[in-house]
Amino acid sequence: MRIATWNVNSIRSRIDRVEAWLQRSDVDVLAIQETKATDAQFPFERLQALGYEVAHHGFNHWNGVAILSRVGLGAVTPAFAGAPAWGEPPVVEARALSATCGGIHVTSVYVPNGRNIRDPHMEYKLSWLEALGAQARRWAADGQQAVIMGDWNIAPQDDDVWSMSYYLDKSHVSPGERAAFQGILDAGYVDVVRPHTPGPGTYTYWDYTMLAFQKRRGMRIDFVLGSPAFAERVSGAAIDREERKGKGASDHAPVVVQLEA
DNA sequence: ATGGTAGCCCTGCTA
């Protein structure tokens, strides 16, 4: 069984690439972020035609998360991680979509972008992660297989950015963000990809500007975090940086995990 | 503090 996560930066502009990638990558489960589509705009039919059940939640104009699960893995049962809303209630901005695929509790997350370390969005990001952690702890309880994967908008280690001096006092590397990420690990999860793709220089995202990809100036901000029961099934992992190449690429590369049986 | 590119809500905002 193979599972993957990919921030596609608009499912509608990327649909041809996503289809081609699914066909050559042979993944059973794909978590997608930044669909930039409402449910009405989401191309369910084209993905279902490839043999996937599809769940999508488009929660605002520029983001949205989805889960694709190969037909036969079991029912896709959408559920949302409760989390503080940006703005006043009753606005719900879930940014996380869960489904049960092949006996695994799968969650696709798009962690809020804090914009910069003194922006109100940073406070929101940290409180959102705290709420996610409480959910995550439940998903991993009683030895269950659980995986939370997506775009975390956090580089947990210095080696996860091309230059720490460049990111000094910027978002993604601040102590508060790194502590919040650690909070998810403390809820009973491990990064199942890093042991198979050690750094430095191993990134999942490269800015579109300033020839960042060509200059190898990236960040590792997309992670697959698994409960112990999930992690012990992992036999391999890879970051598909080939997919970042060429015209029409997302600014993020897919991250793929191989599971035993 | 800016600019670089991409995608949408499209001459502004978000990443």
Side-chain angles (χ1 to χ4, degrees):
Chain A
M1 184 171 174
R2 290 155 69 79
I3 66 158
T5 182
W6 189 10
N7 179 326
V8 300
N9 185 20
S10 170
I11 188 66
R12 284 177 291 161
S13 66
R14 210 74 57 214
I15 185 63
D16 290 347
R17 269 203 184 236
V18 171
E19 279 187 351
W21 186 84
L22 283 168
Q23 288 180 315
R24 73 172 179 274
S25 302
D26 190 35
V27 296
D28 299 289
V29 176
L30 175 64
I32 295 177
Q33 302 83 37
E34 280 202 77
T35 62
K36 293 187 174 177
T38 64
D39 290 348
Q41 295 170 321
F42 193 90
F44 287 99
E45 296 79 7
R46 290 183 64 171
L47 298 169
Q48 287 164 342
L50 297 176
Y52 294 93
E53 294 185 40
V54 184
H56 175 252
H57 177 49
F59 56 81
N60 66 20
H61 299 303
W62 63 93
N63 286 309
V65 289
I67 296 176
L68 276 52
S69 174
R70 190 162 266 159
V71 171
L73 277 180
V76 176
T77 52
F80 300 114
W86 174 252
E88 295 301 313
V91 175
V92 174
E93 195 175 23
R95 293 169 178 263
L97 175 60
S98 295
T100 303
C101 310
I104 304 171
H105 189 284
V106 174
T107 303
S108 176
V109 294
Y110 182 73
V111 172
N113 190 315
R115 302 191 181 184
N116 69 65
I117 58 175
R118 273 171 283 274
D119 192 290
H121 288 82
M122 183 59 72
E123 290 294 316
Y124 171 60
K125 178 179 190 174
L126 299 179
S127 61
W128 189 91
L129 282 162
E130 195 171 336
L132 178 68
Q135 291 280 350
R137 195 174 295 276
R138 285 191 275 275
W139 297 332
D142 307 320
Q144 294 180 86
Q145 294 181 64
V147 60
I148 310 170
M149 53 185 168
D151 178 353
W152 295 78
N153 274 315
I154 298 171
Q157 300 180 13
D158 289 359
D159 277 352
D160 295 337
V161 296
W162 64 273
S163 164
M164 270 306 287
S165 57
Y166 177 82
Y167 285 102
L168 189 66
D169 293 330
K170 288 190 171 70
S171 173
H172 292 61
V173 300
S174 69
E177 290 168 278
R178 289 178 168 180
F181 186 84
Q182 182 62 43
I184 305 298
L185 303 181
D186 293 342
Y189 290 79
V190 295
D191 180 344
V192 299
V193 174
R194 192 184 294 274
H196 299 278
T197 60
T202 308
Y203 308 128
T204 65
Y205 160 84
W206 298 261
D207 197 287
Y208 281 127
T209 69
M210 299 179 287
L211 298 172
F213 184 67
Q214 291 86 334
K215 293 179 177 175
R216 299 184 174 271
R217 295 179 172 181
M219 308 175 86
R220 188 200 287 255
I221 56 175
D222 299 87
F223 296 97
V224 180
L225 305 185
S227 68
F230 177 90
E232 71 181 17
R233 286 182 63 189
V234 175
S235 59
I239 299 164
D240 189 356
R241 71 184 297 284
E242 286 298 306
E243 178 55 40
R244 179 63 178 80
K245 295 179 179 176
K247 186 173 164 59
S250 169
D251 43 3
H252 293 252
V255 181
V256 185
V257 171
Q258 179 74 42
L259 297 177
E260 288 302 308

